[in-house]
């Protein structure tokens, strides 16, 4: 339990975290990933190289310090961390490692004059308090996932029942549990974790579920990234019949149940969770669904047949596609060419901004969509997005 004096110390470190938080978390990850090889497979090396994970952790520590007197304000942040941890199976035994490395990083980055024994002690108690909150929420989530119909704990073996090429760079994997049992119904928009062994090394990656829940199988759709470890392995070395180790679904970028029109906007492979959301909404009834997809060109545009079929079958479904590059021969003819524009959105979305919007794609794309939706009058809490990696600031 933090004393009042320790709370004051945590609050006093806020300015240091504002300016030096990233240097601290950078050093923290260096210490942890070098000193504790057992946690290396949990982390995506490219998020370390880009610095996005260091920034996400620095932002979280700063938010925690700022709200040390109002822990209830941490709700959305804690939910995001817990979901990401759950889909990667972060277990309680790892927390002491993080605590030890964080305190060592505080001492080494801030130096003995700032990081006095009292400061380090206060951060030790504060870390344990946050760790207890996260571990408690994660334990509840693991228990709920294990006890739900079709649920499980840890990794479960799934067979690749079908592999379908959706475009020049996206391939779908239809996954059925090897044990033949039912599979947990997830919330459209959620993702699973995969534990892969690639050329002798373990890695973990998240993939959004790209089809609505059906009780017996899952579908993920993976874009081949240049030199990407997991995506190239899945495309090239996991055949139909291959076995994948799957962690249960998690994620808080999920479809709400309002009757307002549903607007789904995606860039590139960001289409995957929006497909599951559209399919679920269409199967449930009359909700109006507007689906806008931006792709580089016709060759990499995936799921055109699915969108065409939904347009023919459901009067309440309307889809638009825009290619950045003028069409490289063949169908379909896009509804627009070039980068996204405010004018397109104004033209295709219901006037007045009274709808629920979900969007996902590269960061500059999402920043533009967020600004545009604001301009069109969509309230912040009905304009939702997710990153295919650690969350970042969009403004
Ligand atoms: C919630 C969530 C949902 C997701 N859903 C999907 C989905 O539905 N479909 C999908 O395809 N992906 C999805 N992703 C992304 C996915 O998890 C992987 O990040 C993606 O497949 C790339 O992994 P990889 O191992 O192939 O590439 P990585 O090996 O992680 O590399 C990624 C990129 O970084 C570059 N890179 C790596 N290391 C370095 C370095 N040292 N220096 C410079 N560049 C480097 C690589 O060349 C590559 O282009 C999701 C991610 C999250 C967090
Ligand atoms: C109080 C302790 C912790 C805090 C505050 C914390 C915070 C965070 C944050 C902010 C993210 C990014 C979430 C997102 O936006 O995607 C994250 C992701 C992650 N965390 Fe934690 N975490 C803690 C403990 C741990 C522990 C003990 C482990 C295991 C060693 C761990 C492993 C991970 C992994 C593997 C990711 C995903 C990283 C990636 O994408 O490469 N975390 N955590």
């Amino acid at each position: 339990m933090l004393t009042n004096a320790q709370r004051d110390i945590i609050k006093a470190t806020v300015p240091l975290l504002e300016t030096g938080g990233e240097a601290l978390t950078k050093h923290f990850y260096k210490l942890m990933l070098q000193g504790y090889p057992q946690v290396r497979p949990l982390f995506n090396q490219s998020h370390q190289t880009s610095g996005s994970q260091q920034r996400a952790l620095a932002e979280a520590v700063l938010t925690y310090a700022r709200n040390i007197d109002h822990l209830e304000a941490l709700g959305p942040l804690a939910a995001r961390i817990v979901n990401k941890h759950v889909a990667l199976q972060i277990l309680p035994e790892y927390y002491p490692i993080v605590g030890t490395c964080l305190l060592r990083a505080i001492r080494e980055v801030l130096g003995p004059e700032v990081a006095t024994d009292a400061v380090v002690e206060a951060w030790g108690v504060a870390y344990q308090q946050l760790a207890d909150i996260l571990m408690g929420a994660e334990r509840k989530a693991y228990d709920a996932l294990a006890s739900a119909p079709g649920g499980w704990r840890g990794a479960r073996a799934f067979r690749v029942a079908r592999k379908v090429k959706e475009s020049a760079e996206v391939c779908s994997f239809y996954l059925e549990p090897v044990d033949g049992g039912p599979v947990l119904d997830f919330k459209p928009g959620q993702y699973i974790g995969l534990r892969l062994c690639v050329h002798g090394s373990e890695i973990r990656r998240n993939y959004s579920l790209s089809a609505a829940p059906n009780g017996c199988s899952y579908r993920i759709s993976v874009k081949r990234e240049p030199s990407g470890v997991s995506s190239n392995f899945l495309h090239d070395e996991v055949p139909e019949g291959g076995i994948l180790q799957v962690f249960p679904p998690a994620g808080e970028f999920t479809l709400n149940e309002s009757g307002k029109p549903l607007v789904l906007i995606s860039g590139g492979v960001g289409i995957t969770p929006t497909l599951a959301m559209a399919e679920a909404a269409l199967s449930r009834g009359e909700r109006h669904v507007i689906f806008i997809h931006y792709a580089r060109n016709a060759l990499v545009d995936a799921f055109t047949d699915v969108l065409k079929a939904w347009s023919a079958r459901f009067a309440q479904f309307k889809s638009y596609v825009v290619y950045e590059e003028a069409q490289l021969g063949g169908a379909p003819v896009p509804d627009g060419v070039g980068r996204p524009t405010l004018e397109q959105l104004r033209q295709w979305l219901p006037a007045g901004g009274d709808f629920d919007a979900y969007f996902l794609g590269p960061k500059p794309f999402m920043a533009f969509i967020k600004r545009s939706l604001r301009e069109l009058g969509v309230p912040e809490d009905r304009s939702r997005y997710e990153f295919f990696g650690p969350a970042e600031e969009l403004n």
Side-chain angles (χ1 to χ4, degrees):
M1 180 80 171
L2 277 164
T3 63
N4 286 341
Q6 285 172 330
R7 265 174 221 284
D8 290 340
I9 289 177
I10 300 296
K11 285 185 248 177
T13 47
V14 165
L16 291 173
L17 293 171
E18 281 168 345
T19 52
E22 245 179 275
L24 182 76
T25 54
K26 216 169 149 188
H27 190 57
F28 155 77
Y29 277 115
K30 199 169 139 206
L31 291 173
M32 185 169 74
L33 296 175
Q34 279 176 1
Y36 298 86
Q38 67 270 41
V39 302
R40 268 184 227 150
L42 307 175
F43 291 89
N44 184 328
Q45 186 49 48
S46 58
H47 299 162
Q48 296 290 317
T49 308
S50 70
S52 56
Q53 180 58 25
Q54 292 90 330
R55 283 193 293 280
L57 182 61
E59 189 55 36
V61 173
L62 175 61
T63 305
Y64 176 53
R66 279 186 181 142
N67 291 289
I68 200 77
D69 290 332
H70 321 276
L71 293 183
E72 66 287 352
L74 296 176
L77 170 69
R80 200 180 78 223
I81 298 173
V82 166
N83 275 287
K84 186 57 75 67
H85 282 176
V86 166
L88 291 167
Q89 290 287 300
I90 303 306
L91 299 174
E93 59 257 37
Y94 299 129
Y95 276 84
I97 298 176
V98 168
T100 303
C101 295
L102 195 62
L103 296 187
R104 207 178 131 195
I106 288 174
R107 274 194 201 282
E108 291 176 8
V109 171
L110 299 183
E113 290 195 358
V114 179
T116 59
D117 287 347
V119 166
V120 175
E121 201 178 315
W123 266 104
V125 180
Y127 171 77
Q128 197 53 50
Q129 175 176 274
L130 182 56
D132 288 342
I133 293 171
L134 296 179
M135 282 188 291
E138 285 158 20
R139 191 174 45 245
K140 269 196 198 155
Y142 290 131
D143 289 348
L145 288 165
S147 60
W152 71 98
R153 190 182 292 277
R156 182 174 176 190
F158 279 68
R159 182 173 292 109
V160 178
R162 239 169 8 118
K163 227 176 135 175
V164 176
K165 199 169 161 64
E166 309 284 5
S167 76
E169 49 188 30
V170 174
C171 183
S172 285
F173 295 76
Y174 289 76
L175 307 175
E176 292 174 0
V178 169
D179 58 33
V183 299
L184 184 71
D185 273 356
F186 58 93
K187 295 185 189 142
Q190 288 191 311
Y191 50 89
I192 53 165
L194 292 186
R195 187 178 69 201
L196 303 170
C197 183
V198 181
H199 309 136
S201 299
E202 184 190 319
I203 58 164
R204 298 186 187 194
R205 293 288 186 271
N206 299 123
Y207 289 100
S208 300
L209 292 156
S210 64
N214 61 20
C216 57
S217 65
Y218 291 148
R219 183 181 75 183
I220 58 170
S221 305
V222 178
K223 178 189 168 206
R224 188 195 285 278
E225 295 290 345
S227 316
V229 180
S230 160
S231 56
N232 284 284
F233 176 74
L234 289 167
H235 275 245
D236 298 336
E237 295 182 49
V238 177
E240 285 185 354
I243 305 294
L244 293 174
Q245 298 298 325
V246 177
F247 300 133
E252 82 288 9
F253 177 64
T254 54
L255 199 54
N256 73 346
E257 294 297 329
S258 96
K260 291 185 190 301
L262 173 62
V263 169
L264 302 166
I265 307 175
S266 53
V269 75
I271 195 172
T272 51
T274 63
L275 284 169
M277 289 177 173
E279 192 186 349
L282 292 172
S283 71
R284 275 179 217 159
E286 299 300 303
R287 192 172 183 186
H288 202 61
V289 179
I290 300 146
F291 197 101
I292 305 177
H293 182 57
Y294 292 87
R296 274 202 328 283
N297 57 51
L299 297 177
V300 297
D301 184 15
F303 302 103
T304 48
D305 49 345
V306 176
L307 299 178
K308 206 169 139 197
W310 287 346
S311 297
R313 185 167 159 211
F314 299 105
Q316 73 273 31
F317 182 75
K318 183 82 190 114
S319 87
Y320 302 92
V321 65
V322 178
Y323 295 149
E324 186 174 344
E325 298 157 358
Q327 204 186 353
L328 294 180
V333 176
D335 301 284
V337 173
R339 294 280 173 110
T341 66
L342 177 60
E343 226 13 77
Q344 284 163 352
L345 299 180
R346 203 189 297 282
Q347 197 186 328
W348 295 336
L349 299 182
D354 193 20
F355 49 81
D356 288 303
Y358 295 80
F359 54 97
L360 209 155
K363 185 177 168 183
F365 168 85
M366 293 209 288
F368 175 79
I369 300 295
K370 188 172 184 214
R371 273 199 313 277
S372 303
L373 292 175
R374 195 182 294 138
E375 190 115 338
L376 296 177
V378 184
E380 291 286 311
D381 64 342
R382 284 203 255 119
S383 171
R384 303 185 183 90
Y385 55 94
E386 174 158 84
F387 282 88
F388 274 180
E392 298 193 53
E393 193 51 64
L394 263 197
N395 292 321

